[in-house]
Amino acid sequence: VYGIFVKIPGVDAIGLVSITHFKDHGRMTLAEYPPIGTVVRAVVLGIRDRTTEEVWLSMKPSQLDGECRPTQP
């Protein structure tokens, strides 16, 4: 298993969460993957390029925990 594809509402691009961007530590088991149709939280890591319309995402808890914190001046 390579990871999962994520439909991003309102965007024509495909989101991709690779197997290395699910957990901070350890390996994913098949039972830990979200079922098809599940709404997930993720942060954008990057965009491959405009021609492929692929967005790299992460669901690592350490990256999600900081997503709503304001930055310090």
Side-chain angles (χ1 to χ4, degrees):
V1 176
Y2 180 76
I4 63 169
F5 292 100
V6 178
K7 182 178 181 181
I8 305 170
V11 178
D12 290 333
I14 297 294
L16 174 64
V17 181
S18 71
I19 196 168
T20 59
H21 287 101
F22 278 97
K23 298 172 80 171
D24 291 312
H25 306 285
R27 292 184 173 202
M28 287 290 290
T29 65
L30 290 178
E32 292 177 293
Y33 283 97
I36 294 172
T38 302
V39 175
V40 298
R41 289 179 55 219
V43 294
V44 174
L45 298 177
I47 299 171
R48 183 172 178 180
D49 61 50
R50 298 197 186 276
T51 59
T52 59
E53 298 179 344
E54 187 175 281
V55 178
W56 294 322
L57 303 171
S58 175
M59 294 173 56
K60 286 184 178 183
S62 63
Q63 292 175 317
L64 292 174
D65 289 344
E67 71 178 325
C68 295
R69 288 187 200 144
T71 57
Q72 297 297 322

